[in-house]
Amino acid sequence: MAARRKTRRRRRTRGRTLPSGGALLLGLLVLAVFWSRIWVYVVALAALAAAGGLGWWLWRTDRLVRGRDREWRREDAVAAGHRTLAEVDGMTGTEFEDLVAALCRRDGCADVRRVGGSGDQGADVVGRLPDGRSMVVQCKRYAPSAVIASREVRDLLGSKVHFGADVAVFVTTTRFSDKAMDVVVGNGIIAVNRDLLGLWNSGASLPSLMGVNGSGQGDARHRARWRSTYGQKTRSGNGREKRRPARPLRDGPDAV
C-alpha cells in the first residue's frame, strides 16, 4: 500500500510540473517565432523598467541627501545656540567669519561662502538672502568696549558696489558710533551689533533682525550700562576708580 501511494504521488507531481514546463517551452517558441515583430515592445518594456529603476534610485538618493542636509542644519543650529558671546569673543577672526556664514546658512541663505582674507575687497561673507537678493557681509570681531567708526561702514558700501550686491550687512561683537549709525540708516545697511548678534546666535533669524535695523542700540541708559560692563577699571590721581575704553580684539578703533 505504501508503494502504491508513493507511485500515485509521483504521477501527480509529474502531472503538475509537465504542464508548467510545457508552457515555458511554448512561450519560448512563440517568442522565437514572433521575435521580429515583438522585439521593439520587449526592448521598450526593458527600457521603461530601467528608467523606472533609475528614477527610484535618484528619488531615494535625493531623499537621503536632503535628510542629511536637514540634520546638518539642525545640529548646526543647536550648536550655534549653545555658543555664548564670551566664546565668540575667544574666536579668531576666521572662526568668527565661519560662524556668521553658518548662521546665514541656518536661516536659509543660499550660495554662502567666506571670502575674507587678503584681497577680499572689504567683504568677509557673500551669499543670497532667502528672498533671492544678493548680500555682502563685513565681520568685525572687536572688543565689546570698542566702537565701529563711520569710515568702516563706508568701506562696506564700497564692497557692496564691488560685488554688485543688493544688501550690505555689518556684523560686529561691539556697537556702532552715532555717526556710523547715521551712515547705516542713510544707506540701508543692515547693522548687527553685539546685542543683535546675541539674539541671532540664540535662534533669531537674519530677516527678523533686518526688521529692527537702526533701532537696536538702546537708549542713553543702556549705553551707560554698556560702558559700565565692558569698560576697563583704572585708578585716577585721587584714588577713585574710573573706567576707560578697552582696546579692540584686533585692528579696530578704540571706544569713544
Side-chain angles (χ1 to χ4, degrees):
M1 292 295 293
R4 290 180 182 179
R5 290 177 181 174
K6 291 182 181 179
T7 303
R8 290 176 183 175
R9 290 176 183 172
R10 289 175 183 174
R11 289 176 181 177
R12 290 175 183 174
T13 304
R14 290 176 182 175
R16 293 173 184 172
T17 56
L18 287 176
S20 60
L24 178 61
L25 291 174
L26 180 61
L28 292 174
L29 180 61
V30 171
L31 185 64
V33 172
F34 295 99
W35 176 253
S36 60
R37 297 181 181 179
I38 65 174
W39 70 271
V40 176
Y41 303 101
V42 174
V43 172
L45 183 62
L48 287 175
L54 178 61
W56 178 86
W57 179 81
L58 291 175
W59 173 82
R60 180 66 175 172
T61 302
D62 180 71
R63 289 287 300 273
L64 290 174
V65 171
R66 288 178 181 272
R68 291 170 184 168
D69 182 69
R70 285 194 298 270
E71 185 64 24
W72 174 83
R73 289 179 183 274
R74 190 179 301 111
E75 291 176 356
D76 187 73
V78 171
H82 288 167
R83 298 187 186 102
T84 65
L85 288 179
E87 291 174 325
V88 174
D89 290 336
M91 292 180 175
T92 64
T94 300
E95 290 172 343
F96 181 55
E97 293 166 4
D98 287 335
L99 170 64
V100 171
L103 291 174
C104 290
R105 295 189 190 97
R106 184 202 68 187
D107 292 343
C109 297
D111 302 327
V112 178
R113 59 188 179 91
R114 189 179 66 82
V115 295
S118 59
D120 60 5
Q121 301 299 325
D124 295 313
V125 177
V126 296
R128 290 190 175 276
L129 292 167
D131 59 13
R133 290 180 295 170
S134 58
M135 68 174 181
V136 58
V137 185
Q138 177 66 266
C139 305
K140 292 296 184 182
R141 189 189 58 88
Y142 287 169
S145 57
V147 174
I148 299 299
S150 58
R151 60 178 175 80
E152 295 189 271
V153 181
R154 292 193 185 95
D155 290 341
L156 179 58
L157 291 175
S159 302
K160 179 183 177 183
V161 173
H162 175 80
F163 286 93
D166 299 316
V167 178
V169 184
F170 201 117
V171 184
T172 181
T173 53
T174 183
R175 62 184 181 88
F176 295 84
S177 68
D178 292 339
K179 291 183 179 180
M181 288 305 298
D182 291 339
V183 178
V184 164
V185 175
N187 295 274
I189 297 174
I190 308 303
V192 181
N193 61 19
R194 186 178 183 87
D195 293 336
L196 297 181
L197 175 61
L199 294 175
W200 192 18
N201 184 52
S202 298
S205 67
L206 179 58
S208 69
L209 299 181
M210 295 168 63
V212 297
N213 187 50
S215 61
Q217 296 241 119
D219 55 13
R221 185 176 300 177
H222 177 75
R223 296 182 189 180
R225 287 198 299 267
W226 181 294
R227 287 191 293 269
S228 175
T229 301
Y230 295 117
Q232 290 182 345
K233 296 180 179 180
T234 59
R235 293 285 179 178
S236 62
N238 57 9
R240 292 183 179 180
E241 190 177 78
K242 66 177 183 178
R243 293 181 178 270
R244 63 177 177 80
R247 297 191 62 82
L249 294 177
R250 55 176 184 166
D251 54 347
D254 289 338
V256 178

